[in-house]
Amino acid sequence: MNGLSVLTLAKGRATHLANLIEGLRRSEQAPDELVIADMGGLPSALPKAPFPIRIERIEGADLPLAAARNRSAASARCDRLLFLDVDCIPAARLITDISAALEQRDALICPEVLYLGPDDARASWREADLNRCGMSHPVRSFPKSGLRTEPNAGLFWSLAFGIRRLRFQALGGFDEAFTGYGAEDTDFGFRAKAAGLQLVLMAGPGAFHQHHPVSDPPIEHIDDIIANAKIFYNKWKLWPMRGWLDAFEALGLISLEDGNIRKLRLSDIA
C-alpha cells in the first residue's frame, strides 16, 4: 500500500526504543506503521503510539542483523521503507522529508544523523536541544539542503536509510551469509551500486543517535568481524571495516596479508 513503514531492530535497549517511538509520535507526519524486529529482550509493554506497532520475533545468532532487517522488510505493508536503528531518535520532519525524497528519487537515501553525548536525551527532551548538542559524523559530509548523490558506496551505512520496497526486494535484501556484527551494510551498499542504484545523502538533521558505550576497536566482536570480512573480501576483493582490521593488527590480534586474515593466539604474538 502507499505510505511509509519504519523498521527497527531491538535487542534490549528499552530506553532507546522508547525515545525512538516518542520521536515518531512527535513527527509532523506519522509513519503508517512501525515494525520492530525483536532479537531478544524487548520490553513487555511498549509506549502507546498513534500508529500501528508490530513485532517480528527473530531467532538465531546473538546479532542476526541481516536476517532481522530482511524479516522486518518482508513484513512491512507500505511501498516505502525507512530503516532506523533503535538508538536513533527521528527528527520531526524525517518522515515527511524521506517520503518526499523517495517519491522523487528511486535511490538508497541516507539522512544526516547527529551524534549525542552521554547526558543528552535523558528523561524528557526537546528536539531543539538535541539539534544544538548533536555532532556531525566525522567522515560523512552531508549537503546543507536537499539531496546529493554520493559516488562512494562505502559511505552507505544502515543506521538510517530509506528505500523503495520493490527496490529492496529486487536487490534481495541484506546478504544473510553475514551473521553477527559487521560488513553486511557495506555489502548492501556495494550491491546497490552494482545494480545501478545511486546512494543519495539527504540534508538534516534527520535523526539523532543516542549515546551508548562502545569499544574501539570492538574486540568483543572480533570473531564476527573476521568471518564477515572474509566473506566480503571473497565477493569484492577488498577488505571492509579497514579501520577496525588495522587496529586489530596493530594490537597483535590478527595477521592481515595475501587476501587472508589469521587470528593470532597469544603464543603467536612476538
Side-chain angles (χ1 to χ4, degrees):
M1 71 177 191
N2 290 332
L4 182 135
S5 300
V6 176
L7 315 177
T8 194
L9 317 180
K11 187 174 178 67
R13 301 280 184 91
T15 300
H16 286 171
L17 179 61
N19 279 336
L20 182 150
I21 294 172
E22 177 63 16
L24 292 174
R25 194 186 67 79
R26 299 186 194 182
S27 293
E28 293 180 6
Q29 174 184 337
D32 292 276
E33 62 175 352
L34 169 64
V35 180
I36 303 170
D38 174 23
M39 299 183 293
L42 193 70
S44 56
L46 296 176
K48 295 185 181 299
F51 46 82
I53 300 178
R54 295 188 294 109
I55 298 170
E56 291 288 328
R57 308 288 181 184
I58 310 297
E59 305 295 335
D62 288 340
L63 285 172
L65 301 178
R69 290 193 182 99
N70 290 345
R71 175 79 70 80
S72 64
S75 66
R77 295 169 179 167
C78 296
D79 57 3
R80 295 176 215 133
L81 308 177
L82 171 61
F83 289 82
L84 197 63
D85 276 4
V86 72
D87 49 13
C88 288
I89 299 174
R93 285 196 54 84
L94 177 60
I95 303 301
T96 301
D97 291 346
I98 202 80
S99 294
L102 288 171
E103 180 70 22
Q104 177 184 347
R105 300 282 296 270
D106 181 10
L108 192 57
I109 300 177
C110 288
E112 183 174 14
V113 177
L114 298 183
Y115 289 77
L116 302 174
D119 296 324
D120 303 328
R122 301 300 186 205
S124 61
W125 51 267
R126 298 186 310 157
E127 183 168 318
D129 294 331
L130 303 186
N131 195 27
R132 175 177 53 83
C133 296
M135 302 294 291
S136 299
H137 193 280
V139 300
R140 290 181 171 90
S141 174
F142 284 80
K144 297 298 184 184
S145 63
L147 306 172
R148 188 186 75 231
T149 301
E150 171 54 59
N152 182 0
L155 291 181
F156 168 75
W157 81 118
S158 55
L159 185 70
F161 73 96
I163 189 172
R164 295 180 183 178
R165 180 178 179 175
L166 289 179
R167 180 65 74 168
F168 185 85
Q169 292 171 340
L171 289 171
F174 287 83
D175 186 346
E176 295 184 20
F178 295 92
T179 58
Y181 191 83
E184 85 289 340
D185 52 355
T186 307
D187 173 76
F188 186 81
F190 274 51
R191 289 193 292 112
K193 183 173 183 177
L197 187 67
Q198 291 183 327
L199 173 61
V200 172
L201 304 183
M202 186 177 83
F208 305 92
H209 180 270
Q210 302 174 73
H211 184 271
H212 55 84
V214 295
S215 53
D216 188 17
I219 295 174
E220 68 274 21
H221 296 296
I222 189 171
D223 291 332
D224 287 348
I225 289 170
I226 289 172
N228 287 339
K230 288 179 178 179
I231 293 171
F232 189 97
Y233 186 90
N234 288 336
K235 292 178 70 171
W236 302 105
K237 303 309 176 188
L238 56 87
W239 292 115
M241 307 176 286
R242 194 58 196 251
W244 290 345
L245 295 179
D246 288 344
F248 290 152
E249 189 170 40
L251 291 169
L253 300 175
I254 65 170
S255 171
L256 182 63
E257 57 185 18
D258 299 328
N260 189 36
I261 304 175
R262 184 166 63 94
K263 186 179 179 183
L264 300 179
R265 302 185 303 273
L266 290 178
S267 59
D268 293 327
I269 302 173

